[in-house]
């Protein structure tokens, strides 16, 4: 069969404006989809069978309820033997990996509206190494309009059956994230894939800090299947916080008296466009824009634990992780030097915080994690266990840093995660405490995060798996004083302590109570177990 090459423009269209199909160089060879484990079973009903050209071979193609399978047609010799003397291995593509289908046409100068039909293009999500997803195409070439129309309609019907996939998304974009690259990231990498998938979008570019929070309090989300934020960790946390506040308001729950928060709806997608991208990295296993986008398109959902942060009698916010002490002071310094480039600002703040390293005199109480209790049972009980003082444990002393994390907090400087033993949705938090020690020993501890060695194997580091934590700073002398720091005046108050909550600076003058709430928000992303299983399958091809 002839194929679209020179003398015209080739497009994969489903009507409407012209749209360039991916080049042959971008398409992954069909052999990569071959699998020894055939998805088709006796119960897998055959829907269509026909002949298409795939690659350079004419193939017998079978479409069943779960997979598309094909095998090159081998001419027979006069004696009845196969021409090449062997049978080609059957190849297959699981239908759940297809996210769009379009008609492929060739256009010439004379054909401005309806070009020459070449066949059908399938847009596919491929699972690669290191949790990475990649978009690719498979061309089914056949010049028959009637033949292609039947197959095209069947593919559209199958894709419509994936009800978990979003049809419409509210996009929130922070143009100030990292090196102000978020806008370019969205329009060059994210939007083209969303258009191919046929997802409608409504884009809002935020204009100031807190804009997403105020917007999501009032805007109508009923017509959207999900919300997507494009930015860094602080922006992602702000949007998650806003969605959860919205859920409490809709349920008539007073935030200052939250016992068991209402889960947020709709799902949230996180496109990494910041400097560290801890949330996206922890969610997808890699801070990769295309991977994050394809998880959204495919409708992969992960339930994720969320923490509440409060002072006595007052709710502060929702979040995923927090640092007090060194982590809070370093962020406070970075916020005072926002005129510096992001990477320089971060390095400067860490070096200066290390130079002024000093411990906090604290009392820390925590409720150990009860792994035997069912998560749904814990959610229903609310604060029942909090009132049982006999189960609480307390430590006090001089602490250089206190980390409280409900997610692994993977990032480039900590590939195993700041809390490697934590999971996204096991209903627990990691409490990591660095007691007072010498500056060189503390720096060794920080450097260990970048290696595969255990960063906690120091005598001054303690780790606990907990459900709740109360941090009570006791020393007024160690409170954060902005007059001691160089640079422009920040948001800090001399009577407060700096906390780093999901990359956002929060100044708190009293005890902070942190509690984890199991599976409180749905995020677009694939589980690590799911991704690892997929890699094994691909390695068998």
């Amino acid at each position: 069969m002839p194929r679209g090459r020179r003398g015209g423009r080739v497009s994969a269209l489903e009507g409407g404006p012209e749209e360039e199909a991916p080049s042959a160089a971008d398409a992954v060879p069909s052999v990569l989809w071959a699998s020894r484990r055939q998805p088709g079973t006796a119960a897998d009903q055959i829907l269509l069978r026909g002949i298409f050209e795939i690659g350079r071979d004419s193939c017998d193609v079978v479409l069943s309820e779960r997979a598309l399978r094909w095998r090159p047609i081998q001419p027979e010799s006069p004696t009845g033997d196969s021409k090449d003397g062997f049978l080609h291995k059957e190849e297959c593509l699981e239908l759940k990996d297809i996210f769009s289908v379009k008609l492929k046409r060739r256009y010439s100068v004379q054909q401005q509206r309806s070009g020459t039909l070449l066949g059908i293009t399938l847009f596919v999500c491929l699972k690669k190494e290191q949790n990475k997803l990649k978009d690719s195409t498979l061309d089914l070439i056949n010049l028959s309009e009637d033949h292609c129309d039947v197959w095209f309609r069947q593919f559209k019907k199958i894709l419509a059956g994936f009800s978990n996939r979003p049809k419409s998304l509210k996009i929130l974009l922070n143009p100030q994230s990292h090196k102000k690259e978020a806008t370019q990231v969205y329009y060059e990498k994210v939007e083209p894939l969303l258009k191919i998938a046929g997802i409608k979008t409504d884009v809002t570019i935020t204009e100031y800090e807190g804009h997403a929070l105020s917007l999501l309090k009032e805007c109508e989300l009923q017509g959207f299947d999900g919300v997507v934020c494009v930015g860094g960790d602080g922006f992602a946390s702000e949007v998650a916080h806003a969605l959860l506040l919205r859920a409490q308001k809709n349920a008539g729950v007073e935030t200052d008296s939250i016992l068991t928060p209402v889960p947020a709806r709709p799902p949230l997608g996180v496109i990494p466009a910041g400097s560290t991208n801890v949330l996206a990295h922890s969610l997808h296993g890699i801070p990769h824009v295309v991977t994050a986008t394809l998880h959204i398109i495919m409708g992969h959902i992960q339930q994720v634990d969320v923490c509440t942060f409060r002072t006595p009698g007052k709710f502060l916010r929702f979040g995923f992780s927090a640092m007090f002490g060194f982590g809070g002071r370093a962020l406070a310094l970075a916020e005072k030097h926002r005129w510096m480039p992001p990477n320089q600002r971060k390095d400067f703040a860490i070096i200066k915080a290390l130079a002024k390293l000093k411990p906090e005199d604290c009392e820390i109480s925590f409720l150990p994690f009860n792994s035997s209790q069912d998560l749904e049972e814990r959610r229903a009980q609310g604060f029942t266990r909090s009132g049982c003082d006999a189960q609480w444990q307390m430590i006090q002393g001089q602490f250089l840093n206190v980390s409280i994390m409900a997610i692994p907090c993977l990032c480039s400087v900590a590939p195993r995660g700041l809390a490697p033993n934590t999971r996204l949705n096991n209903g627990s938090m990691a409490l990591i405490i660095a007691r007072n020690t010498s500056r060189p020993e503390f720096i060794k501890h920080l450097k260990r995060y970048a290696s595969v060695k255990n960063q906690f194997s120091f005598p001054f580091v303690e780790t606990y798996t907990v459900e709740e934590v109360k941090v009570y700073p006791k020393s007024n002398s160690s409170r954060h004083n902005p007059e001691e720091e160089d640079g422009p005046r920040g948001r800090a108050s001399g009577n407060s302590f700096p906390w780093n909550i999901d990359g956002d600076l929060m100044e708190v003058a009293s005890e902070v109570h942190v509690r984890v709430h199991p599976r409180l928000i749905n995020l677009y992303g694939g589980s690590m177990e799911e991704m690892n299983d997929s890699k094994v399958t691909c390695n068998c091809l």
Side-chain angles (χ1 to χ4, degrees):
M1 298 182 187
R3 303 189 63 186
R5 296 188 184 280
R6 297 181 181 176
R9 184 172 71 257
V10 178
S11 296
L13 293 178
E14 183 199 335
E18 295 176 358
E19 181 176 330
E20 292 285 338
S23 66
D26 294 333
V28 173
S30 60
V31 70
L32 292 181
W33 288 306
S35 173
R36 294 190 184 98
R37 183 185 63 183
Q38 300 299 336
T41 63
D44 192 11
Q45 181 182 357
I46 293 177
L47 304 176
L48 292 173
R49 186 167 188 170
I51 296 176
F52 288 93
E53 182 182 340
I54 299 178
R56 296 182 179 276
D57 297 318
S58 291
C59 297
D60 178 16
V61 183
V62 177
L63 176 63
S64 65
E65 292 178 323
R66 298 180 183 176
L68 180 73
R69 291 173 286 162
W70 64 94
R71 188 193 301 273
I73 299 172
Q74 297 299 313
E76 292 187 354
S77 67
T79 61
D81 298 328
S82 174
K83 180 179 178 181
D84 295 330
F86 65 91
L87 293 177
H88 282 250
K89 182 173 64 175
E90 183 180 76
E91 303 182 42
C92 74
L93 168 64
E94 294 189 57
L95 299 185
K96 65 181 179 62
D97 294 330
I98 301 173
F99 65 88
S100 186
V101 57
K102 298 186 184 294
L103 294 174
K104 183 180 182 70
R105 296 184 182 275
R106 174 198 287 157
Y107 290 87
S108 63
V109 176
Q110 293 79 17
Q111 297 172 310
Q112 293 297 328
R113 292 190 177 182
S114 58
T116 302
L117 178 71
L118 299 178
I120 297 171
T121 296
L122 302 178
F123 294 85
V124 182
C125 174
L126 289 180
K127 303 174 182 70
K128 308 296 283 185
E129 70 286 345
Q130 297 179 340
N131 302 315
K132 186 180 290 187
L133 300 183
K134 181 183 185 299
D135 61 297
S136 187
T137 59
L138 176 68
D139 290 331
L140 307 178
I141 304 300
N142 189 304
L143 302 185
S144 169
E145 292 270 2
D146 292 339
H147 186 69
C148 288
D149 182 66
V150 171
W151 281 73
F152 176 76
R153 290 177 182 274
Q154 187 64 56
F155 278 121
K156 294 290 288 184
K157 182 179 179 181
I158 290 170
L159 292 180
F162 294 114
S163 58
N164 60 314
R165 298 183 181 180
K167 306 294 189 299
S168 179
L169 294 170
K170 176 64 182 178
I171 311 292
L172 297 172
L173 194 157
N174 179 11
Q176 300 301 319
S177 290
H178 192 35
K179 299 177 181 179
K180 301 184 179 181
E181 296 173 343
T183 304
Q184 181 181 359
V185 165
Y186 176 75
Y187 286 108
E188 291 186 5
K189 295 183 179 181
V190 180
E191 187 185 57
L193 285 173
L194 297 180
K195 283 186 175 180
I196 289 173
I199 298 175
K200 297 178 181 179
T201 59
D202 181 74
V203 181
T204 297
I205 299 177
T206 57
E207 299 174 0
Y208 52 87
E209 185 177 350
H211 187 186
L213 179 60
S214 59
L215 180 73
L216 288 173
K217 282 183 179 179
E218 306 297 336
C219 78
E220 179 58 57
L221 294 179
Q222 189 171 355
F224 299 104
D225 299 312
V227 176
V228 175
C229 60
V230 187
D233 288 318
F235 188 62
S237 180
E238 177 186 337
V239 175
H241 172 63
L243 288 174
L244 284 161
L245 281 182
R246 181 188 180 98
Q248 311 319 303
K249 179 182 177 182
N250 292 342
V253 177
E254 290 292 334
T255 54
D256 286 340
S257 58
I258 293 177
L259 297 180
T260 305
V262 177
R265 299 288 185 270
L268 172 63
V270 180
I271 302 295
S275 55
T276 53
N277 302 307
V278 165
L279 182 56
H281 200 152
S282 300
L283 187 61
H284 310 306
I286 185 172
H288 186 242
V289 171
V290 171
T291 295
T293 305
L294 287 173
H295 276 304
I296 294 169
I297 290 172
M298 305 302 286
H300 298 158
I301 296 292
Q302 272 274 69
Q303 291 182 309
V304 178
D305 300 340
V306 181
C307 302
T308 50
F309 297 84
R310 63 175 61 246
T311 57
K314 182 182 180 182
F315 174 79
L316 296 177
R317 62 170 294 163
F318 293 98
F320 300 97
S321 64
M323 287 187 284
F324 174 76
F326 171 79
R329 291 183 178 279
L331 180 61
L333 280 165
E335 288 296 308
K336 291 177 179 298
H337 295 80
R338 277 206 163 267
W339 53 271
M340 299 175 69
N343 290 336
Q344 291 182 22
R345 180 173 71 241
K346 182 173 64 176
D347 293 342
F348 168 82
I350 291 175
I351 292 172
K352 188 160 186 180
L354 285 172
K356 294 178 173 291
L357 187 66
K358 57 182 178 180
E360 304 282 4
D361 186 11
C362 292
E363 179 182 293
I364 301 175
S365 301
F366 61 89
L367 185 63
F369 174 55
N370 182 5
S371 59
S372 63
Q373 190 176 27
D374 182 77
L375 292 181
E376 294 301 325
E377 181 185 347
R378 282 181 50 202
R379 180 183 290 176
Q381 284 182 351
F383 263 58
T384 303
R385 293 193 68 208
S386 299
C388 186
D389 294 333
Q391 295 179 348
W392 282 80
Q393 297 182 24
M394 190 267 288
I395 55 177
Q396 56 185 343
Q398 301 279 319
F399 304 110
L400 290 177
N401 190 69
V402 178
S403 297
I404 306 168
M405 298 177 173
I407 61 175
C409 293
L410 277 67
C411 58
S412 58
V413 297
R416 294 180 63 244
L418 298 175
N421 297 323
T422 307
R423 296 295 176 264
L424 292 171
N425 51 19
N426 67 347
S428 71
M429 301 181 292
L431 171 61
I432 304 166
I433 297 169
R435 289 184 179 269
N436 193 20
T437 187
S438 67
R439 184 181 291 108
E441 284 298 299
F442 185 68
I443 292 174
K444 284 182 184 178
H445 162 60
L446 296 181
K447 286 184 175 180
R448 189 74 66 83
Y449 279 100
S451 71
V452 296
K453 297 180 181 179
N454 186 356
Q455 60 263 46
F456 308 131
S457 59
F458 292 90
F460 58 88
V461 177
E462 301 172 17
T463 63
Y464 304 90
T465 303
V466 302
E467 295 177 15
E468 296 184 53
V469 181
K470 295 178 181 179
V471 180
Y472 179 67
K474 297 167 65 176
S475 173
N476 289 335
S477 62
S478 64
R479 292 177 185 250
H480 186 234
N481 185 354
E483 299 303 323
E484 296 178 0
E485 316 292 359
D486 298 331
R489 186 173 61 87
R491 294 176 293 173
S493 165
N495 295 319
S496 63
F497 296 89
W499 280 76
N500 179 342
I501 301 179
D502 294 336
D504 273 348
L505 179 64
M506 180 165 286
E507 301 289 336
V508 185
S510 60
E511 168 192 326
V512 174
H513 183 182
V514 187
R515 182 173 191 254
V516 66
H517 301 272
R519 303 173 180 177
L520 197 58
I521 192 169
N522 289 331
L523 300 182
Y524 286 111
S527 68
M528 295 302 101
E529 292 81 5
E530 210 174 67
M531 298 295 291
N532 290 333
D533 289 344
S534 299
K535 287 192 289 183
V536 171
T537 302
C538 288
N539 289 336
C540 294
L541 303 185

